[in-house]
PDB file of all heavy atoms in Angstrom:
ATOM      1  N   PHE A 146      12.748   7.598  19.660  1.00 98.00           N
ATOM      2  CA  PHE A 146      12.010   6.353  19.757  1.00 98.00           C
ATOM      3  C   PHE A 146      12.538   5.281  18.866  1.00 98.00           C
ATOM      4  O   PHE A 146      12.754   4.151  19.276  1.00 98.00           O
ATOM      5  CB  PHE A 146      10.500   6.577  19.423  1.00 98.00           C
ATOM      6  CG  PHE A 146       9.668   5.410  19.154  1.00 98.00           C
ATOM      7  CD1 PHE A 146       9.039   4.816  20.271  1.00 98.00           C
ATOM      8  CD2 PHE A 146       9.459   4.880  17.847  1.00 98.00           C
ATOM      9  CE1 PHE A 146       8.333   3.602  20.088  1.00 98.00           C
ATOM     10  CE2 PHE A 146       8.677   3.652  17.671  1.00 98.00           C
ATOM     11  CZ  PHE A 146       8.123   3.082  18.859  1.00 98.00           C
ATOM     12  N   LEU A 147      12.948   5.674  17.626  1.00 98.00           N
ATOM     13  CA  LEU A 147      13.508   4.620  16.625  1.00 98.00           C
ATOM     14  C   LEU A 147      14.815   4.118  17.191  1.00 98.00           C
ATOM     15  O   LEU A 147      15.087   2.909  17.037  1.00 98.00           O
ATOM     16  CB  LEU A 147      13.631   5.350  15.250  1.00 98.00           C
ATOM     17  CG  LEU A 147      12.330   5.658  14.657  1.00 98.00           C
ATOM     18  CD1 LEU A 147      12.515   6.718  13.467  1.00 98.00           C
ATOM     19  CD2 LEU A 147      11.527   4.449  14.172  1.00 98.00           C
ATOM     20  N   ILE A 148      15.743   5.104  17.650  1.00 98.00           N
ATOM     21  CA  ILE A 148      17.006   4.706  18.148  1.00 98.00           C
ATOM     22  C   ILE A 148      16.823   3.799  19.373  1.00 98.00           C
ATOM     23  O   ILE A 148      17.333   2.653  19.509  1.00 98.00           O
ATOM     24  CB  ILE A 148      17.820   5.945  18.680  1.00 98.00           C
ATOM     25  CG1 ILE A 148      18.227   6.742  17.479  1.00 98.00           C
ATOM     26  CG2 ILE A 148      19.005   5.528  19.594  1.00 98.00           C
ATOM     27  CD1 ILE A 148      19.544   6.514  16.859  1.00 98.00           C
ATOM     28  N   ASP A 149      15.900   4.100  20.367  1.00 98.00           N
ATOM     29  CA  ASP A 149      15.619   3.395  21.448  1.00 98.00           C
ATOM     30  C   ASP A 149      15.096   1.922  21.186  1.00 98.00           C
ATOM     31  O   ASP A 149      15.356   1.083  21.871  1.00 98.00           O
ATOM     32  CB  ASP A 149      14.621   4.025  22.498  1.00 98.00           C
ATOM     33  CG  ASP A 149      15.229   5.232  22.968  1.00 98.00           C
ATOM     34  OD1 ASP A 149      16.478   5.482  22.907  1.00 98.00           O
ATOM     35  OD2 ASP A 149      14.608   6.072  23.696  1.00 98.00           O
ATOM     36  N   THR A 150      14.321   1.887  20.107  1.00 98.00           N
ATOM     37  CA  THR A 150      13.666   0.674  19.637  1.00 98.00           C
ATOM     38  C   THR A 150      14.623  -0.214  18.870  1.00 98.00           C
ATOM     39  O   THR A 150      14.373  -1.436  18.638  1.00 98.00           O
ATOM     40  CB  THR A 150      12.364   0.949  18.994  1.00 98.00           C
ATOM     41  OG1 THR A 150      11.755   2.008  19.559  1.00 98.00           O
ATOM     42  CG2 THR A 150      11.361  -0.252  19.043  1.00 98.00           C
ATOM     43  N   GLY A 151      15.700   0.378  18.253  1.00 98.00           N
ATOM     44  CA  GLY A 151      16.554  -0.411  17.501  1.00 98.00           C
ATOM     45  C   GLY A 151      16.048  -0.649  15.993  1.00 98.00           C
ATOM     46  O   GLY A 151      16.332  -1.570  15.479  1.00 98.00           O
ATOM     47  N   ILE A 152      15.362   0.371  15.499  1.00 98.00           N
ATOM     48  CA  ILE A 152      14.820   0.370  14.212  1.00 98.00           C
ATOM     49  C   ILE A 152      15.852   1.097  13.137  1.00 98.00           C
ATOM     50  O   ILE A 152      16.320   2.121  13.498  1.00 98.00           O
ATOM     51  CB  ILE A 152      13.474   1.111  14.070  1.00 98.00           C
ATOM     52  CG1 ILE A 152      12.605   0.601  15.123  1.00 98.00           C
ATOM     53  CG2 ILE A 152      13.022   1.057  12.635  1.00 98.00           C
ATOM     54  CD1 ILE A 152      11.916  -0.710  14.832  1.00 98.00           C
ATOM     55  N   THR A 153      16.280   0.474  12.036  1.00 98.00           N
ATOM     56  CA  THR A 153      16.996   1.173  11.088  1.00 98.00           C
ATOM     57  C   THR A 153      16.271   2.268  10.394  1.00 98.00           C
ATOM     58  O   THR A 153      15.096   2.092   9.926  1.00 98.00           O
ATOM     59  CB  THR A 153      17.490   0.104  10.040  1.00 98.00           C
ATOM     60  OG1 THR A 153      18.256  -0.861  10.665  1.00 98.00           O
ATOM     61  CG2 THR A 153      18.346   0.789   8.916  1.00 98.00           C
ATOM     62  N   VAL A 154      16.913   3.385  10.374  1.00 98.00           N
ATOM     63  CA  VAL A 154      16.219   4.540   9.667  1.00 98.00           C
ATOM     64  C   VAL A 154      16.824   4.879   8.350  1.00 98.00           C
ATOM     65  O   VAL A 154      18.043   4.776   8.029  1.00 98.00           O
ATOM     66  CB  VAL A 154      16.549   5.807  10.478  1.00 98.00           C
ATOM     67  CG1 VAL A 154      15.835   7.001   9.882  1.00 98.00           C
ATOM     68  CG2 VAL A 154      15.934   5.541  11.910  1.00 98.00           C
ATOM     69  N   ASN A 155      15.975   5.041   7.423  1.00 98.00           N
ATOM     70  CA  ASN A 155      16.234   5.442   6.057  1.00 98.00           C
ATOM     71  C   ASN A 155      16.117   6.874   6.022  1.00 98.00           C
ATOM     72  O   ASN A 155      15.011   7.519   6.087  1.00 98.00           O
ATOM     73  CB  ASN A 155      15.117   4.906   5.203  1.00 98.00           C
ATOM     74  CG  ASN A 155      15.516   4.281   3.907  1.00 98.00           C
ATOM     75  OD1 ASN A 155      16.699   4.491   3.505  1.00 98.00           O
ATOM     76  ND2 ASN A 155      14.642   3.462   3.366  1.00 98.00           N
ATOM     77  N   ILE A 156      17.229   7.709   6.027  1.00 98.00           N
ATOM     78  CA  ILE A 156      17.102   9.092   6.293  1.00 98.00           C
ATOM     79  C   ILE A 156      16.592   9.900   4.939  1.00 98.00           C
ATOM     80  O   ILE A 156      16.936   9.454   3.768  1.00 98.00           O
ATOM     81  CB  ILE A 156      18.371   9.733   6.864  1.00 98.00           C
ATOM     82  CG1 ILE A 156      19.476   9.665   5.873  1.00 98.00           C
ATOM     83  CG2 ILE A 156      18.792   9.149   8.067  1.00 98.00           C
ATOM     84  CD1 ILE A 156      20.045  11.025   5.650  1.00 98.00           C
ATOM     85  N   ASP A 157      15.858  10.900   5.187  1.00 98.00           N
ATOM     86  CA  ASP A 157      15.220  11.683   4.145  1.00 98.00           C
ATOM     87  C   ASP A 157      15.734  13.039   3.916  1.00 98.00           C
ATOM     88  O   ASP A 157      15.272  13.801   3.125  1.00 98.00           O
ATOM     89  CB  ASP A 157      13.661  11.593   4.305  1.00 98.00           C
ATOM     90  CG  ASP A 157      12.842  12.122   3.211  1.00 98.00           C
ATOM     91  OD1 ASP A 157      13.132  11.668   1.997  1.00 98.00           O
ATOM     92  OD2 ASP A 157      12.094  13.113   3.358  1.00 98.00           O
ATOM     93  N   SER A 158      16.664  13.493   4.810  1.00 98.00           N
ATOM     94  CA  SER A 158      17.292  14.822   4.742  1.00 98.00           C
ATOM     95  C   SER A 158      18.583  14.772   5.576  1.00 98.00           C
ATOM     96  O   SER A 158      18.726  13.980   6.481  1.00 98.00           O
ATOM     97  CB  SER A 158      16.362  15.850   5.164  1.00 98.00           C
ATOM     98  OG  SER A 158      16.250  15.742   6.577  1.00 98.00           O
ATOM     99  N   GLN A 159      19.494  15.659   5.269  1.00 98.00           N
ATOM    100  CA  GLN A 159      20.710  15.862   5.939  1.00 98.00           C
ATOM    101  C   GLN A 159      20.397  16.199   7.357  1.00 98.00           C
ATOM    102  O   GLN A 159      21.008  15.720   8.388  1.00 98.00           O
ATOM    103  CB  GLN A 159      21.711  16.909   5.303  1.00 98.00           C
ATOM    104  CG  GLN A 159      22.967  17.094   6.087  1.00 98.00           C
ATOM    105  CD  GLN A 159      23.937  15.894   5.955  1.00 98.00           C
ATOM    106  OE1 GLN A 159      24.036  15.255   4.982  1.00 98.00           O
ATOM    107  NE2 GLN A 159      24.817  15.720   6.974  1.00 98.00           N
ATOM    108  N   SER A 160      19.327  17.078   7.576  1.00 98.00           N
ATOM    109  CA  SER A 160      19.042  17.510   8.763  1.00 98.00           C
ATOM    110  C   SER A 160      18.548  16.376   9.701  1.00 98.00           C
ATOM    111  O   SER A 160      18.822  16.237  10.855  1.00 98.00           O
ATOM    112  CB  SER A 160      17.898  18.617   8.755  1.00 98.00           C
ATOM    113  OG  SER A 160      16.775  18.271   9.551  1.00 98.00           O
ATOM    114  N   GLU A 161      17.835  15.434   9.189  1.00 98.00           N
ATOM    115  CA  GLU A 161      17.246  14.246   9.868  1.00 98.00           C
ATOM    116  C   GLU A 161      18.527  13.456  10.365  1.00 98.00           C
ATOM    117  O   GLU A 161      18.535  13.025  11.496  1.00 98.00           O
ATOM    118  CB  GLU A 161      16.320  13.430   8.966  1.00 98.00           C
ATOM    119  CG  GLU A 161      15.809  12.260   9.696  1.00 98.00           C
ATOM    120  CD  GLU A 161      14.862  11.366   8.835  1.00 98.00           C
ATOM    121  OE1 GLU A 161      14.487  11.840   7.767  1.00 98.00           O
ATOM    122  OE2 GLU A 161      14.673  10.187   9.194  1.00 98.00           O
ATOM    123  N   LEU A 162      19.445  13.329   9.490  1.00 98.00           N
ATOM    124  CA  LEU A 162      20.700  12.479   9.844  1.00 98.00           C
ATOM    125  C   LEU A 162      21.447  13.215  10.963  1.00 98.00           C
ATOM    126  O   LEU A 162      21.780  12.537  11.949  1.00 98.00           O
ATOM    127  CB  LEU A 162      21.560  12.420   8.656  1.00 98.00           C
ATOM    128  CG  LEU A 162      22.895  11.638   8.902  1.00 98.00           C
ATOM    129  CD1 LEU A 162      22.694  10.191   9.378  1.00 98.00           C
ATOM    130  CD2 LEU A 162      23.736  11.589   7.563  1.00 98.00           C
ATOM    131  N   ASP A 163      21.639  14.563  10.882  1.00 98.00           N
ATOM    132  CA  ASP A 163      22.298  15.306  11.875  1.00 98.00           C
ATOM    133  C   ASP A 163      21.674  15.110  13.233  1.00 98.00           C
ATOM    134  O   ASP A 163      22.250  14.998  14.268  1.00 98.00           O
ATOM    135  CB  ASP A 163      22.514  16.755  11.440  1.00 98.00           C
ATOM    136  CG  ASP A 163      23.363  16.966  10.205  1.00 98.00           C
ATOM    137  OD1 ASP A 163      24.207  15.996   9.894  1.00 98.00           O
ATOM    138  OD2 ASP A 163      23.203  17.963   9.580  1.00 98.00           O
ATOM    139  N   ARG A 164      20.358  15.325  13.179  1.00 98.00           N
ATOM    140  CA  ARG A 164      19.635  15.261  14.405  1.00 98.00           C
ATOM    141  C   ARG A 164      19.625  13.890  15.007  1.00 98.00           C
ATOM    142  O   ARG A 164      19.604  13.638  16.227  1.00 98.00           O
ATOM    143  CB  ARG A 164      18.153  15.674  14.204  1.00 98.00           C
ATOM    144  CG  ARG A 164      18.073  17.220  13.942  1.00 98.00           C
ATOM    145  CD  ARG A 164      16.685  17.887  13.807  1.00 98.00           C
ATOM    146  NE  ARG A 164      16.057  17.421  12.580  1.00 98.00           N
ATOM    147  CZ  ARG A 164      14.856  16.579  12.484  1.00 98.00           C
ATOM    148  NH1 ARG A 164      14.317  16.232  13.620  1.00 98.00           N
ATOM    149  NH2 ARG A 164      14.480  16.289  11.279  1.00 98.00           N
ATOM    150  N   LEU A 165      19.540  12.878  14.208  1.00 98.00           N
ATOM    151  CA  LEU A 165      19.595  11.427  14.605  1.00 98.00           C
ATOM    152  C   LEU A 165      21.031  11.162  15.243  1.00 98.00           C
ATOM    153  O   LEU A 165      21.061  10.608  16.373  1.00 98.00           O
ATOM    154  CB  LEU A 165      19.429  10.522  13.353  1.00 98.00           C
ATOM    155  CG  LEU A 165      19.471   9.015  13.661  1.00 98.00           C
ATOM    156  CD1 LEU A 165      18.180   8.550  14.229  1.00 98.00           C
ATOM    157  CD2 LEU A 165      19.673   8.230  12.404  1.00 98.00           C
ATOM    158  N   LEU A 166      22.023  11.572  14.629  1.00 98.00           N
ATOM    159  CA  LEU A 166      23.420  11.375  15.248  1.00 98.00           C
ATOM    160  C   LEU A 166      23.666  12.038  16.539  1.00 98.00           C
ATOM    161  O   LEU A 166      24.456  11.631  17.319  1.00 98.00           O
ATOM    162  CB  LEU A 166      24.529  11.764  14.229  1.00 98.00           C
ATOM    163  CG  LEU A 166      24.505  10.846  12.883  1.00 98.00           C
ATOM    164  CD1 LEU A 166      25.447  11.476  11.920  1.00 98.00           C
ATOM    165  CD2 LEU A 166      24.800   9.366  13.232  1.00 98.00           C
ATOM    166  N   LYS A 167      22.985  13.163  16.654  1.00 98.00           N
ATOM    167  CA  LYS A 167      23.080  13.912  18.124  1.00 98.00           C
ATOM    168  C   LYS A 167      22.468  13.065  19.180  1.00 98.00           C
ATOM    169  O   LYS A 167      22.911  13.164  20.233  1.00 98.00           O
ATOM    170  CB  LYS A 167      22.371  15.229  17.944  1.00 98.00           C
ATOM    171  CG  LYS A 167      23.349  16.408  17.593  1.00 98.00           C
ATOM    172  CD  LYS A 167      22.720  17.689  17.861  1.00 98.00           C
ATOM    173  CE  LYS A 167      23.264  18.638  16.829  1.00 98.00           C
ATOM    174  NZ  LYS A 167      22.344  19.683  16.393  1.00 98.00           N
ATOM    175  N   ILE A 168      21.472  12.366  18.834  1.00 98.00           N
ATOM    176  CA  ILE A 168      20.801  11.520  19.832  1.00 98.00           C
ATOM    177  C   ILE A 168      21.748  10.224  20.133  1.00 98.00           C
ATOM    178  O   ILE A 168      22.029  10.030  21.312  1.00 98.00           O
ATOM    179  CB  ILE A 168      19.450  11.005  19.351  1.00 98.00           C
ATOM    180  CG1 ILE A 168      18.494  12.176  19.035  1.00 98.00           C
ATOM    181  CG2 ILE A 168      18.739  10.009  20.373  1.00 98.00           C
ATOM    182  CD1 ILE A 168      17.203  11.835  18.343  1.00 98.00           C
ATOM    183  N   SER A 169      22.152   9.593  19.102  1.00 98.00           N
ATOM    184  CA  SER A 169      22.941   8.479  19.281  1.00 98.00           C
ATOM    185  C   SER A 169      23.472   8.015  17.900  1.00 98.00           C
ATOM    186  O   SER A 169      22.868   8.215  16.948  1.00 98.00           O
ATOM    187  CB  SER A 169      22.214   7.343  19.924  1.00 98.00           C
ATOM    188  OG  SER A 169      23.034   6.177  20.031  1.00 98.00           O
ATOM    189  N   VAL A 170      24.565   7.299  17.840  1.00 98.00           N
ATOM    190  CA  VAL A 170      25.008   6.752  16.585  1.00 98.00           C
ATOM    191  C   VAL A 170      24.545   5.266  16.332  1.00 98.00           C
ATOM    192  O   VAL A 170      24.814   4.358  17.091  1.00 98.00           O
ATOM    193  CB  VAL A 170      26.552   6.724  16.509  1.00 98.00           C
ATOM    194  CG1 VAL A 170      27.094   6.176  15.162  1.00 98.00           C
ATOM    195  CG2 VAL A 170      27.104   8.125  16.634  1.00 98.00           C
ATOM    196  N   PRO A 171      23.607   5.140  15.415  1.00 98.00           N
ATOM    197  CA  PRO A 171      23.043   3.793  15.290  1.00 98.00           C
ATOM    198  C   PRO A 171      24.008   2.802  14.453  1.00 98.00           C
ATOM    199  O   PRO A 171      24.888   3.372  13.801  1.00 98.00           O
ATOM    200  CB  PRO A 171      21.775   4.019  14.425  1.00 98.00           C
ATOM    201  CG  PRO A 171      22.141   5.270  13.595  1.00 98.00           C
ATOM    202  CD  PRO A 171      23.014   6.129  14.457  1.00 98.00           C
TER     203      PRO A 171
END
Side-chain angles (χ1 to χ4, degrees):
F146 169 83
L147 296 164
I148 291 267
D149 291 348
T150 321
I152 308 284
T153 299
V154 179
N155 221 342
I156 67 127
D157 189 50
S158 67
Q159 179 71 35
S160 132
E161 182 184 343
L162 176 62
D163 294 339
R164 289 183 290 119
L165 182 78
L166 294 173
K167 263 191 212 149
I168 299 167
S169 174
V170 178

